Amino acid sequence: MRALEHLIQQKGVPGVVEMVPSYSALLVYYDPLVVGYDALCASVTAVTRELDTAVLPPARVVELPCCYDDPELAFDLEAAAVKLGLEPPELVRLHAEATYHVYFIGFTPGLPYLMLPERLRIPRLDTPRTALPPGSVGLGGGQCCVYSVESPGGFWIIGRTPLRLYDPEVSDPVLLQPGDTVRFRPIDRRTFGEIAAAVAEHTYRPVIT
Amino acid sequence: MIRVLDAGPLPLTTVQDLGRPGHLRYGIPPSGPMDRLAFVAANRLVGNADGAAGLECALVGPRLEAMRPCAIAVTGADMAPTVNGERRPRWTAIALRAGDQVRLGPAKAGMRAYVAFSGGIDVPPVLGSRATYMRGQLGGLEGRALRKGDTLRLFDAPIPPARRVVDPPDADPGLEVTVRVVLGPEADRFTEAGVKAFLTGAYELLQQSDRMGARLRGPRIAHARGHDIISNGIALGTVQVPGDGQPIVLLVDRQSAGGYTKIATVCSFDIGRLAQQKPGRHVRFQAVDVAEAHRLLHEHRAATDRLVLETIGQRMEKS
């Protein structure tokens, strides 16, 4: 989907206004006053023929510091570990060792859709919580979620990042992009506090390579 | 400058312009006015570009005071606007002197009124737009609705001639508003009876509706095989149907993607009429094909472009 989006962008397919990639679909907004439906479908179909040879720009790797070792932040870690038949440190190791592809961003501003390693797949909570703090890192179904704004949610919260995935106070409010690679770096509670303070003052520079 | 004397207890009045397209891939909706035609007309009346920032007032309007001379126009829902207690016409440019007080009351017909000010509201653009996205605390006045005591700066602009819109649209969409839809993209996930129920039933607009989505209740729309899909993009007007078989029409502050099956998309040119329907009243859906939808869109755009502004009498006096 990202390759298709990239190609349509590069080729400047006439009439395309914006696109929303997701796991297995690409939503293409077009201006019907510029291009008709059939003509647009023909252009997009033509582009799909070049998909195999498309060269994508290299993915950015974005590091999200994550505090797993404070029950105030990671309030479901113990229970999730029990549910998965793992010791909590093992769960943390598996979660932090994995790399995550950002399939797309959505639901709330800046929220990434990430897939979990097989071993960490877990049914969602029976009763969703009404309000989870932004930055909460959760497991649910086959997905890993990092809440970008305070929202209700049915994920098991195993940690929290002090970074803001969405910050309406800065000119570029969204941290992650579709196609990025995300890695979680375990930090202790003290480091969490330090980074959170720097983020609040807009002096923290996320590690992006 | 405009001072907000009262904006009521609920967050119902926001700064809007024509919105911020291009950021849905980051989960940021376009926002902008729910009734685009009424918004654009208000701007044209006061001599602004179509996209100048003005106010959208839902259900009930604010009380405002002009701190310097300017012109305003009120369009959309009928909130019986007054200036210093005297009724003034809607869809008409109104000159204000410093100290004049404008009051919009509860909506007597329709749901959303628009107030344009000559020059337009001067708030900093965020991602290229002054539109307010309240859930994301983005744009407009600190990303929130207006409150008592706020002041709105206006860009400098000449006072326009007195004029009105000839033959403005009716503010009241009626007890039942019919909106055109194009079926799909997942209409095949519903039973034949489910699609028929959707296209023949009257759906009550529920109280929980907002700028994100219109929630409806009516004949159950039955799924053929499950109501969950792999999450994908949601367009303006997408009608998604969760497991309870009740439709939700996604609107200007919508989420960018969702995992419920989508039976149809409401045509963009009918979103404004849907936006003027009051909770408790009903909505009906009528299917058209893509070609017909595009023909109607061309017609609608042409009608917008043809909005006739008639000059009334002399140039408004400056005071």
Side-chain angles (χ1 to χ4, degrees):
Chain A
M1 287 312 124
R2 196 163 80 86
L4 183 58
E5 185 194 22
H6 179 70
L7 277 179
I8 292 174
Q9 240 161 22
Q10 268 207 325
K11 304 219 170 259
V13 173
V16 172
V17 180
E18 77 174 292
M19 290 176 282
V20 184
S22 50
Y23 287 121
S24 56
L26 179 69
L27 171 60
V28 178
Y29 283 82
Y30 68 100
D31 181 350
L33 303 185
V34 175
V35 63
Y37 177 72
D38 294 332
L40 178 84
C41 289
S43 310
V44 171
T45 308
V47 169
T48 57
R49 287 189 204 108
E50 296 172 44
L51 270 180
D52 294 341
T53 52
V55 180
L56 283 172
R60 306 187 311 167
V61 180
V62 182
E63 185 189 280
L64 297 183
C66 181
C67 179
Y68 297 94
D69 64 2
D70 186 319
E72 267 179 43
L73 307 180
F75 35 82
D76 293 323
L77 178 65
E78 295 278 345
V82 170
K83 183 96 181 164
L84 289 167
L86 293 166
E87 289 299 315
E90 184 65 1
L91 191 165
V92 169
R93 190 182 63 79
L94 287 170
H95 186 259
E97 263 180 13
T99 57
Y100 300 84
H101 176 69
V102 178
Y103 286 88
F104 63 105
I105 304 278
F107 190 60
T108 58
L111 182 146
Y113 281 71
L114 313 169
M115 295 289 257
L116 278 176
E118 201 67 38
R119 184 67 184 86
L120 296 183
R121 289 173 176 242
I122 182 169
R124 292 190 187 193
L125 293 175
D126 289 337
T127 311
R129 290 198 170 81
T130 51
L132 292 168
S136 293
V137 176
L139 315 179
Q143 293 187 77
C144 173
C145 173
V146 187
Y147 288 92
S148 61
V149 295
E150 184 179 291
S151 28
F155 282 54
W156 303 74
I157 304 305
I158 60 157
R160 195 184 303 175
T161 176
L163 301 198
R164 289 181 188 166
L165 270 53
Y166 172 72
D167 183 354
E169 288 174 20
V170 300
S171 63
D172 202 0
V174 169
L175 176 64
L176 298 171
Q177 298 173 7
D180 281 351
T181 296
V182 165
R183 299 196 66 122
F184 293 93
R185 177 169 65 89
I187 53 172
D188 58 23
R189 180 60 209 249
R190 196 180 139 182
T191 312
F192 178 94
E194 287 164 5
I195 297 177
V199 166
E201 298 193 341
H202 299 117
T203 54
Y204 183 81
R205 296 264 165 276
V207 180
I208 301 174
T209 50
Chain B
M1 292 259 274
I2 297 290
R3 183 157 46 204
V4 180
L5 301 176
D6 188 11
L10 296 170
L12 297 170
T13 298
T14 53
V15 174
Q16 297 295 339
D17 64 8
L18 287 180
R20 54 176 69 76
H23 301 280
L24 279 165
R25 71 193 298 274
Y26 302 109
I28 298 175
S31 304
M34 293 269 278
D35 183 347
R36 195 176 194 276
L37 176 67
F39 180 84
V40 165
N43 265 333
R44 290 187 191 172
L45 281 165
V46 296
N48 289 347
D50 288 357
L55 298 179
E56 177 178 278
C57 319
L59 207 59
V60 58
R63 268 197 316 128
L64 309 168
E65 182 183 343
M67 301 174 73
R68 64 168 173 79
C70 64
I72 64 164
V74 183
T75 62
D78 184 358
M79 295 190 180
T82 61
V83 175
N84 303 329
E86 263 177 56
R87 275 297 293 273
R88 303 302 288 268
R90 298 151 53 236
W91 301 90
T92 302
I94 306 166
L96 299 181
R97 294 160 306 181
D100 280 351
Q101 292 193 5
V102 178
R103 178 178 182 274
L104 275 68
K108 297 199 301 186
M111 179 69 189
R112 292 179 167 85
Y114 295 89
V115 187
F117 304 88
S118 51
I121 297 170
D122 176 10
V123 288
V126 181
L127 300 175
S129 164
R130 297 184 167 87
T132 310
Y133 169 42
M134 273 202 284
R135 275 197 176 73
Q137 300 167 16
L138 195 74
L141 204 66
E142 300 165 2
R144 60 172 173 80
L146 298 198
R147 291 198 290 242
K148 181 179 179 171
D150 283 337
T151 52
L152 302 169
R153 281 199 350 215
L154 304 181
F155 288 107
D156 281 329
I159 305 285
R163 51 193 168 185
R164 66 187 181 99
V165 171
V166 179
D167 206 11
D170 197 344
D172 188 352
L175 291 174
E176 282 187 6
V177 64
T178 298
V179 295
R180 271 71 58 94
V181 297
V182 174
L183 288 175
E186 286 130 24
D188 60 333
R189 301 282 304 239
F190 298 88
T191 63
E192 213 170 295
V195 174
K196 192 172 170 215
F198 172 65
L199 292 176
T200 54
Y203 288 86
E204 183 192 347
L205 185 69
L206 300 182
Q207 205 66 249
Q208 304 94 298
S209 302
D210 60 12
R211 289 172 47 84
M212 186 172 179
R215 302 187 74 107
L216 300 155
R217 184 172 56 204
R220 186 189 170 98
I221 303 166
H223 293 84
R225 44 190 174 104
H227 48 79
D228 288 350
I229 52 160
I230 299 171
S231 288
N232 60 28
I234 289 177
L236 174 65
T238 288
V239 185
Q240 66 176 21
V241 185
D244 62 3
Q246 302 300 321
I248 303 171
V249 184
L250 280 312
L251 298 168
V252 292
D253 281 0
R254 66 192 174 276
Q255 67 275 37
S256 55
Y260 293 123
T261 38
K262 298 177 270 296
I263 191 168
T265 304
V266 175
C267 298
S268 59
F269 48 81
D270 276 344
I271 295 289
R273 295 193 309 125
L274 177 61
Q276 294 297 2
Q277 188 64 308
K278 279 188 173 172
R281 290 188 166 190
H282 289 78
V283 178
R284 282 180 183 275
F285 300 98
Q286 181 195 341
V288 294
D289 62 19
V290 172
E292 175 70 355
H294 284 181
R295 195 185 61 73
L296 292 165
L297 175 67
H298 277 90
E299 247 174 39
H300 178 82
R301 289 284 171 89
T304 311
D305 290 342
R306 278 200 311 269
L307 266 183
V308 180
L309 303 189
E310 177 188 66
T311 305
I312 337 165
Q314 297 298 304
R315 204 176 173 77
M316 288 190 280
E317 265 177 51
K318 277 193 191 179
S319 47

